[in-house]
């Protein structure tokens, strides 16, 4: 194998030559291996195979892989860029001799060359390459007139004398290279063209030139020479469509884009041969130009501001496209453009007639009586011409209706409610018309008014049956009316005569039988007592159909609606009449019920009918149907039968008897119904109340005996324990704070034994004896010596002090007579000199406790001092309940 030097031609595209390994031809011609780079560009020489060694007379040379092509000298080139993978790529070269029917195969393998070896070879081996001549690309005029053969270029080599070329075309015919188009003189290297070339078929050629020695050796790398075919303006433009169709709404403003025409040219792009200009050649109809065509882009726009579809529905334009930028010598072609004008609702519909007349029989309904038509210049069948009719006047009773016939666009006038000849012999209505689409005002038009027409409808008289007026009669009947009560009159009239003569009335069977009607007069009476609480009358309403028949047998119908009006038929009753009232005397709520409806029910008025009980009990209003019953004062315990009358809003009074058991109890469950007779009335006490009073008396007697036993040791010598008044509730009527007064009638005893009284100090307490001015002590209220409260005479007249406190009875017996005397003096003294010395009565409460106050007034808020309340008598339970914290 011989490695070819790597060179680059100035005229040829980039050519990467790898390691060229010449053919290693085996005897069987089966396999050839080339080491090439991993990336191969298009038109890269891979290597050369000696084809003559395998088959001398090869007529057809082909490759099984389209990415490679094989020339006649055995050179293998890539047709496209390739990237070799890790695996080697293989393909087969086929050699055929058609005449001898011989075929040979050469297997070619491409192996990626090692990069490190290549780099090492480059670093270690330096080779000198001779500078070569690179010809510039040649140019050949398309469709050249010759003379042929026409010399294109000359290639030369210093070391070779014979030249051979292989060429390939780049373009549509790349796989069908024209044979014999170019040839080279073997001795001179001149390249000649044998005939003219079409650039659109073959834009360029690549000529591969080989220089060989007489013995067939190629000392140099093949030279690639490019021949470019210069374009000639031999192709006229052409439009992409045979016919362009566009639409534009009428009355469009100037400048609105209609569409775009497109033309193309097969000549070389981006040259004058393909630079096109457009223009409108003609317009049909040949009136004022309506459109403009942009010369460079081919965009068609509106030019005329008054496109009217009703005048010209469409335009046909003949347009031209010319190359050479529109120069007169350029090639041109023409095309056809059709622009349709779309309809808009710029024409209002108008009636063909202004006045119409028609006839219809009275009482006819859902019958067509007239058809009206309009004229509209807009496109038929479009929303701009579709008519919408309406009755704008004369149809207050909604007796007429008009619709649109979609097929004919006519208005159909119908009668939907029967007309009455006696009421109006003719009717005049006004009909208006509009379009389905909204009206669009054209630039050149004025605002239009709605088109209208009048229709006179003549009503024809027809013999009719009687007519009830009103057709529905409502009769309100109160409950519990007597049978046969007249509740109203229902009559019909003959429309022709206007009176009720000769008309008979009857109620068809099968309806509610609450009423009947007189067949001549039409008077309506009840046939049963109407009660809303019975059977079918609970609904309170019934509709009854009545027939009216005239002399000719014509029949008319009417309806009577009987409504039962609620009456005042029920007395108000108190729902609950037995109550228990405890000692808290909480008011009782009395509630009455009445089966009637408003206005014969609430509000109720309550009243106690017994005068004696009315003075003891009172009624307080709560709401419309309830009151509170409570005693007026501290009445005795017992059972009270209280007659209470309740009057409803309709004036109906119901008598009720309310029984109240006023019981000495805390809760109603403590009363079992047994009572005792009270003095001066019908109030009695129960057994438990009597037992409670007896036990209370015994307990009080036991307490008095205990107190007397503890405090009395002799007639005048009593030892009372401290705070004898403990656990006893004492009434204290304090009226004012005390004052310090000086009176000669009250003198404090001196603290010596020589005075009439003694002051004894024992421990921390000191007792002062109060001595009357005339020698009376607290013990001798009537006078009788100089005895003091705390002393008695014992043998020899010796005076001894009793250090115990005075009892409550002793203090009371001394204080009250003296206070009475003072009060008597104040009343008899006109100048009220004694008013400043007025004595107030203070009840004796005993000695203060060292433990302080009890209950909520205690500084320590202790509640243990209230335990004695649990042992008090029953009459103190109310006070105990008051003191309990809630």
């Amino acid at each position: 194998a011989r490695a070819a030097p790597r060179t680059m031609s100035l005229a040829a595209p980039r050519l990467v030559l790898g390691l060229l390994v010449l053919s290693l031809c085996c005897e069987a011609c089966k396999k050839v291996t080339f080491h090439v780079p991993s990336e191969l560009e298009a038109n890269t020489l891979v290597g050369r195979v000696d084809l003559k060694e395998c088959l001398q007379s090869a007529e057809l040379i082909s490759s099984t892989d389209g990415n490679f092509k094989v020339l006649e000298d055995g050179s293998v080139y890539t047709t496209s860029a390739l990237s070799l993978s890790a695996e080697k790529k293989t393909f087969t070269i086929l050699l055929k001799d058609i005449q001898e029917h011989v075929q040979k195969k050469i297997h070619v393998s491409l192996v990626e060359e090692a990069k490190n070896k290549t780099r090492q070879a480059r670093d270690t081996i330096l080779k000198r390459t001779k500078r070569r001549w690179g010809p510039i690309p040649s140019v050949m005029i398309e469709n050249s007139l010759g003379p042929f053969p026409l010399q294109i270029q000359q290639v030369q080599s210093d070391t070779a004398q014979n030249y051979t070329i292989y060429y390939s075309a780049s373009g549509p015919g790349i796989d069908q290279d024209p044979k014999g188009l170019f040839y080279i003189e073997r001795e001179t290297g001149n390249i000649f063209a044998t005939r003219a070339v079409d650039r659109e078929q073959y834009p360029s050629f690549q000529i591969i030139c080989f220089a060989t020695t007489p013995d067939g050796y190629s000392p140099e790398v093949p030279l690639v020479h490019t021949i470019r075919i210069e374009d000639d303006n031999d192709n006229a433009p052409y439009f992409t469509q045979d016919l362009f169709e566009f639409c534009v709404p009428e009355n469009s403003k100037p400048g609105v884009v209609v569409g775009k025409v497109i033309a193309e040219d097969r000549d070389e792009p981006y040259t004058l041969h393909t630079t096109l200009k457009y223009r409108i050649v003609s317009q049909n109809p040949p009136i004022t130009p309506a459109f403009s065509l942009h010369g460079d882009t081919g965009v068609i726009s509106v030019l005329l501001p008054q496109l009217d579809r009703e005048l010209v529905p469409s335009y046909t334009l003949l347009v031209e496209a010319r190359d050479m930028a529109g120069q007169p010598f350029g090639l041109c072609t023409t095309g056809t453009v059709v622009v349709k004008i779309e309809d808009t609702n710029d024409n209002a519909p108008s009636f063909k007639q202004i006045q119409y007349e028609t006839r219809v029989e009275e009482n006819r309904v859902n019958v067509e009586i007239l058809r009206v038509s309009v004229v509209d210049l807009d496109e038929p069948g479009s929303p701009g011409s579709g008519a919408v009719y309406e009755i704008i006047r004369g149809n207050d009773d909604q007796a007429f209706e008009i619709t649109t016939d979609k097929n004919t666009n006519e208005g159909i006038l119908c009668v939907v409610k029967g007309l009455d000849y006696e009421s109006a012999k003719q009717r005049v209505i006004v009909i208006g018309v509009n379009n389905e689409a909204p009206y669009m005002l054209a630039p050149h038009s004025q605002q239009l008014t709605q088109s209208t027409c009048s229709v006179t409808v003549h009503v024809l008289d027809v013999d009719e049956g009687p007519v009830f007026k009103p057709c529905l009669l409502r009769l309100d009947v109160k409950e519990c009316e007597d049978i046969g009560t007249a509740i109203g009159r229902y009559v019909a009239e003959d429309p022709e005569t206007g009176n009720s003569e000769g008309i008979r009335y009857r109620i068809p069977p099968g309806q509610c039988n609450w009423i009947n009607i007189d067949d001549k007069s039409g008077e309506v009476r009840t046939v049963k007592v109407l009660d809303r609480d019975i059977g079918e009358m609970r609904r309170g309403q019934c509709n009854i159909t009545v027939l009216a028949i005239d002399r000719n047998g014509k029949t008319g119908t009417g309806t009577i609606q009987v409504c039962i009006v609620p009456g005042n038929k029920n007395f108000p009753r108190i729902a609950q009449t037995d109550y228990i009232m405890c000692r808290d005397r909480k008011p009782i709520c009395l509630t009455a019920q009445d089966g009637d409806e408003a206005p014969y029910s609430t509000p109720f008025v309550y009243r106690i009918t017994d005068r004696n009980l009315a003075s003891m009990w009172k009624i307080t209003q709560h709401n419309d149907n309830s009151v509170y019953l409570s005693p007026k004062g501290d009445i005795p315990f017992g059972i009270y039968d209280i007659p209470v009358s309740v009057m409803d809003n309709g004036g109906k009074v119901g008598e009720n008897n309310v029984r109240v058991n006023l019981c000495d109890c805390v809760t109603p469950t403590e009363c079992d119904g047994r009572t005792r007779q009270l003095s001066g009335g019908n109030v009695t006490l129960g057994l438990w109340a009597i037992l409670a009073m007896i036990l209370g008396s015994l307990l009080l007697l036991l307490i008095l005996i205990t107190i007397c036993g503890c405090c009395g040791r002799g007639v005048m010598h009593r030892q009372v324990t401290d705070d004898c008044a403990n656990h006893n509730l004492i009434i204290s009527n304090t009226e004012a704070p005390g004052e310090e007064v000086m009176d000669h009638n009250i003198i404090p005893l001196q603290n010596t034994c020589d005075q009439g009284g003694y002051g004894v100090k024992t421990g921390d307490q000191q007792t002062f004896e109060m001595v009357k001015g005339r020698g009376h002590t607290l013990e001798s209220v009537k006078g009788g010596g100089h005895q003091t409260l705390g002393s008695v005479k014992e043998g020899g007249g010796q005076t001894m002090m009793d250090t115990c406190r005075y009892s409550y009875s002793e203090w009371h017996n001394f204080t009250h007579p003296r206070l009475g005397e003072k009060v008597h003096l104040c009343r008899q003294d006109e100048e009220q000199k004694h008013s400043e010395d007025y004595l107030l009565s203070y009840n004796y409460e005993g000695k203060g406790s060292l433990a302080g106050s009890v209950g909520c007034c205690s500084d320590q808020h202790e509640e243990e001092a209230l335990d004695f309340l649990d042992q008090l008598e029953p009459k103190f339970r109310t006070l105990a309940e008051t003191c309990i914290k809630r």
Side-chain angles (χ1 to χ4, degrees):
R2 178 181 298 174
R6 184 180 59 173
T7 59
M8 180 66 67
S9 173
L10 297 175
R14 182 180 180 186
L15 183 63
V16 179
L17 297 177
L19 178 62
L20 178 60
V21 179
L22 297 180
S23 65
L24 300 176
C25 186
C26 61
E27 294 181 358
C29 297
K30 292 183 178 181
K31 185 176 182 181
V32 176
T33 303
F34 296 114
H35 294 270
V36 296
S38 60
E39 301 292 337
L40 296 176
E41 296 182 356
N43 299 321
T44 301
L45 177 63
V46 176
R48 181 178 294 176
V49 180
D50 191 353
L51 303 179
K52 294 181 179 181
E53 292 183 2
C54 294
L55 185 62
Q56 290 285 346
S57 59
E59 297 180 356
L60 293 178
I61 304 172
S62 62
S63 171
T64 59
D65 191 342
N67 293 321
F68 301 93
K69 62 182 177 180
V70 182
L71 303 183
E72 294 179 357
D73 65 341
S75 299
V76 180
Y77 284 86
T78 58
T79 59
S80 61
L82 293 177
S83 176
L84 297 181
S85 61
E87 299 179 358
K88 63 182 180 179
K89 187 174 184 62
T90 62
F91 64 94
T92 303
I93 299 174
L94 300 179
L95 304 176
K96 292 183 181 180
D97 189 346
I98 300 176
Q99 295 180 358
E100 299 294 335
H101 301 285
V102 178
Q103 179 174 336
K104 296 288 186 177
K105 295 183 179 180
I106 300 176
H107 298 283
V108 179
S109 299
L110 301 182
V111 180
E112 183 180 2
E113 64 181 4
K115 295 182 180 181
N116 55 354
K117 292 183 180 180
T118 304
R119 180 177 298 176
Q120 183 179 1
R122 291 176 181 175
D123 294 340
T124 58
I125 300 175
L126 298 177
K127 292 185 178 181
R128 185 180 182 87
T129 302
K130 183 178 65 174
R131 183 172 57 187
R132 302 181 59 208
W133 168 70
I136 61 175
S138 302
V139 176
M140 179 179 177
I141 303 300
E142 179 186 15
N143 301 321
S144 176
L145 298 178
F148 296 100
L150 180 64
Q151 183 178 357
I152 302 300
Q153 187 60 269
Q154 181 183 17
V155 294
Q156 294 180 354
S157 175
D158 297 337
T159 60
Q161 291 80 23
N162 298 329
Y163 298 94
T164 306
I165 64 169
Y166 295 94
Y167 56 90
S168 64
S170 61
I174 188 172
D175 297 329
Q176 299 177 359
D177 296 341
K179 300 296 183 179
L181 180 58
F182 300 99
Y183 72 91
I184 188 170
E185 290 183 347
R186 298 179 61 88
E187 294 80 8
T188 62
N190 291 326
I191 301 174
F192 293 90
T194 60
R195 64 180 182 273
V197 181
D198 186 3
R199 193 206 66 84
E200 286 70 37
Q201 186 177 4
Y202 301 105
S204 65
F205 294 90
Q206 284 186 345
I207 306 300
I208 303 175
C209 303
F210 295 93
T212 62
T213 61
D215 58 358
Y217 172 68
S218 297
E220 297 180 358
V221 177
L223 182 65
V224 179
H225 181 61
T226 301
I227 301 175
R228 186 174 61 84
I229 308 302
E230 185 174 349
D231 182 50
D232 184 23
N233 190 19
D234 58 342
N235 293 285
Y238 64 93
F239 285 99
T240 57
Q241 296 178 218
D242 296 336
L243 178 65
F244 293 91
E245 292 183 349
F246 305 110
C247 297
V248 63
E250 63 177 330
N251 302 317
S252 295
K253 296 181 179 180
V256 174
V257 176
V258 177
K260 181 180 181 180
V261 295
I262 300 175
E264 295 180 352
D265 198 321
R266 294 185 181 89
D267 291 323
E268 185 176 0
Y270 311 110
T271 63
L272 284 176
H273 297 166
T274 56
T275 303
L276 306 181
K277 285 287 185 179
Y278 302 91
R279 71 183 183 92
I280 297 176
V281 179
S282 64
Q283 172 185 299
N284 188 26
I287 56 177
T288 305
F291 304 97
S292 63
L293 177 60
H294 195 279
D296 296 328
T297 62
V299 174
I300 301 176
S301 304
V302 175
L303 181 63
L304 184 65
Q306 299 177 357
L307 294 178
D308 192 350
R309 190 204 65 85
E310 288 72 34
L311 296 178
V312 181
S314 65
Y315 293 85
T316 302
L317 304 178
L318 182 65
V319 296
E320 176 190 83
R322 184 181 295 270
D323 60 13
M324 300 302 291
Q327 296 296 327
F329 51 82
L331 303 179
C332 66
T333 187
T334 58
T336 304
V337 178
V338 176
V339 180
K340 294 182 180 180
I341 308 302
E342 293 181 345
D343 181 51
T344 59
N345 189 23
D346 59 343
N347 293 280
S350 61
F351 285 98
K352 293 182 179 180
Q353 293 181 227
I354 300 178
Q355 294 182 350
Y356 293 87
E357 287 190 9
T358 185
R359 291 174 174 79
V360 63
E361 295 179 352
E362 63 175 334
N363 301 323
R364 294 284 304 274
V365 295
N366 297 325
V367 58
E368 178 183 332
I369 61 174
L370 182 65
R371 282 182 174 246
V372 296
S373 58
V374 295
V375 176
D376 198 323
L377 299 178
D378 293 318
E379 184 177 1
S382 66
S385 64
V388 179
Y389 301 91
E390 61 176 341
I391 302 174
I392 60 178
R393 201 161 50 245
N395 193 30
D396 296 337
D397 57 352
Q398 303 298 318
F400 300 95
E401 184 181 82
I402 188 167
T403 58
T404 304
D405 188 338
K406 297 296 183 181
N407 297 325
T408 62
N409 209 29
E410 293 178 327
I412 304 174
L413 182 63
C414 300
V415 177
V416 295
K417 186 185 294 184
L419 303 178
D420 188 5
Y421 173 81
E422 287 72 25
S423 299
K425 295 181 175 55
Q426 71 177 19
R427 298 281 296 274
V428 178
I429 59 176
V430 178
I431 302 175
V433 64
N434 290 307
N435 288 129
E436 297 177 5
Y439 180 74
M440 297 180 63
L441 187 64
H444 59 283
S445 63
Q446 298 179 355
Q447 185 67 38
L448 299 179
T449 59
Q450 184 183 26
S451 178
T452 60
C453 71
S454 63
V455 180
T456 302
V457 181
H458 298 280
V459 183
L460 303 180
D461 185 23
V462 177
D463 186 14
E464 304 172 277
V467 178
F468 283 97
K469 293 184 179 179
C471 60
L472 176 64
L473 177 64
R474 177 187 174 96
L475 297 177
D476 295 333
V477 185
K478 291 185 178 181
E479 283 186 288
C480 304
E481 292 285 356
D482 295 335
I483 298 176
T485 301
I487 59 176
R489 190 166 178 264
Y490 196 34
V491 296
E493 294 181 358
D494 190 336
E496 280 73 27
T497 62
N499 54 50
S500 303
E501 295 180 1
I503 299 177
R504 294 184 175 275
Y505 308 94
R506 69 183 182 90
I507 298 176
Q511 305 184 69
C512 62
N513 55 351
W514 296 359
I515 63 171
N516 61 8
I517 187 170
D518 188 87
D519 61 344
K520 294 181 180 180
S521 64
E523 188 176 35
V524 181
R525 294 180 177 272
T526 60
V527 296
K528 58 173 61 176
V529 177
L530 304 185
D531 191 348
R532 292 170 59 92
D533 298 330
I534 299 177
E536 62 180 2
M537 298 183 186
R538 290 180 179 176
R539 293 179 298 174
Q541 179 178 316
C542 180
N543 293 337
I544 302 172
T545 302
V546 181
L547 301 179
I549 306 171
D550 61 7
R551 295 187 182 95
N552 299 326
K554 298 285 185 179
T555 304
T557 60
T559 303
I560 298 177
Q561 186 180 72
V562 181
C563 298
I564 303 176
V565 179
N568 194 11
K569 65 177 182 178
N570 296 300
F571 294 93
R573 301 284 183 183
I574 296 178
Q576 182 180 352
T577 57
D578 292 334
Y579 296 92
I580 297 177
M581 180 181 290
C582 291
R583 68 165 68 106
D584 58 358
R585 303 176 186 271
K586 183 178 181 180
I588 298 171
C589 184
L590 303 179
T591 303
Q593 297 177 352
D594 194 336
D596 298 323
E597 296 181 1
Y600 303 112
S601 56
T602 57
F604 298 136
V605 178
Y606 293 77
R607 188 173 66 86
I608 300 176
T609 57
D610 188 288
R611 292 186 177 180
N612 293 331
L613 292 175
S615 62
M616 303 171 63
W617 297 83
K618 64 179 179 178
I619 289 177
T620 306
Q621 192 71 27
H622 177 216
N623 51 32
D624 288 346
N625 61 341
S626 301
V627 295
Y628 288 118
L629 177 64
S630 59
K632 289 186 177 180
D634 190 11
I635 62 176
F637 294 103
I639 296 177
Y640 295 86
D641 291 325
I642 306 172
V644 179
S645 65
V646 184
M647 183 175 64
D648 59 18
N649 196 37
K652 210 157 194 176
V653 180
E655 298 293 339
N656 303 269
N657 188 55
V658 179
R659 169 165 290 190
V660 180
N661 184 1
L662 183 58
C663 181
D664 185 13
C665 60
V666 177
T667 60
T669 56
E670 297 181 6
C671 293
D672 59 354
R674 289 178 290 182
T675 60
R676 64 181 179 83
Q677 186 72 26
L678 297 178
S679 60
N682 57 354
V683 181
T684 60
L685 293 176
L687 178 61
W688 290 105
I690 297 173
L691 292 177
M693 295 179 65
I694 295 174
L695 292 176
S697 300
L698 294 176
L699 181 60
L700 181 61
L701 180 60
L702 180 61
I703 292 173
L704 293 177
I705 293 175
T706 303
I707 294 174
C708 293
C710 294
C711 297
R713 294 182 179 179
V715 177
M716 293 304 293
H717 295 275
R718 299 179 182 179
Q719 181 67 31
V720 182
T721 60
D722 292 341
D723 201 6
C724 292
N726 189 22
H727 292 185
N728 291 277
L729 300 178
I730 301 173
I731 300 175
S732 176
N733 293 330
T734 301
E735 295 182 2
E739 295 179 358
E740 295 182 358
V741 296
M742 297 300 294
D743 192 352
H744 62 277
N745 294 322
I746 301 176
I747 303 174
L749 298 178
Q750 300 296 328
N751 205 6
T752 60
C753 294
D754 297 336
Q755 304 297 331
Y758 299 92
V760 182
K761 183 176 182 181
T762 60
D764 295 335
Q765 296 181 356
Q766 183 175 3
T767 302
F768 294 94
E769 294 183 354
M770 308 301 293
V771 182
K772 195 175 180 181
R774 288 186 293 271
H776 296 281
T777 66
L778 187 59
E779 294 287 349
S780 56
V781 295
K782 298 294 184 178
H786 296 278
Q787 297 176 348
T788 64
L789 182 61
S791 63
V792 292
K793 293 182 179 181
E794 294 182 359
Q798 292 181 359
T799 303
M800 298 182 64
M801 289 298 298
D802 187 358
T803 59
C804 76
R805 297 184 311 157
Y806 306 132
S807 66
Y808 170 75
S809 58
E810 294 169 341
W811 181 267
H812 181 274
N813 292 335
F814 174 77
T815 304
H816 276 259
R818 303 302 299 162
L819 293 177
E821 182 180 355
K822 287 293 183 181
V823 173
H824 179 71
L825 292 176
C826 290
R827 289 178 179 176
Q828 291 184 357
D829 189 357
E830 295 180 357
E831 296 181 0
Q832 298 182 358
K833 295 180 180 180
H834 296 276
S835 61
E836 298 179 357
D837 192 24
Y838 188 76
L839 298 179
L840 300 179
S841 175
Y842 292 89
N843 281 342
Y844 180 81
E845 294 184 356
K847 181 181 178 182
S849 175
L850 296 176
S853 301
V854 182
C856 62
C857 297
S858 175
D859 293 337
Q860 299 179 356
H861 300 285
E862 297 178 355
E863 297 183 358
E864 290 77 1
L866 297 178
D867 293 341
F868 73 95
L869 296 175
D870 297 333
Q871 288 79 32
L872 295 178
E873 296 178 3
K875 65 181 180 178
F876 295 111
R877 290 180 183 177
T878 303
L879 179 60
E881 291 176 359
T882 304
C883 296
I884 292 175
K885 291 184 178 180
R886 299 187 183 276

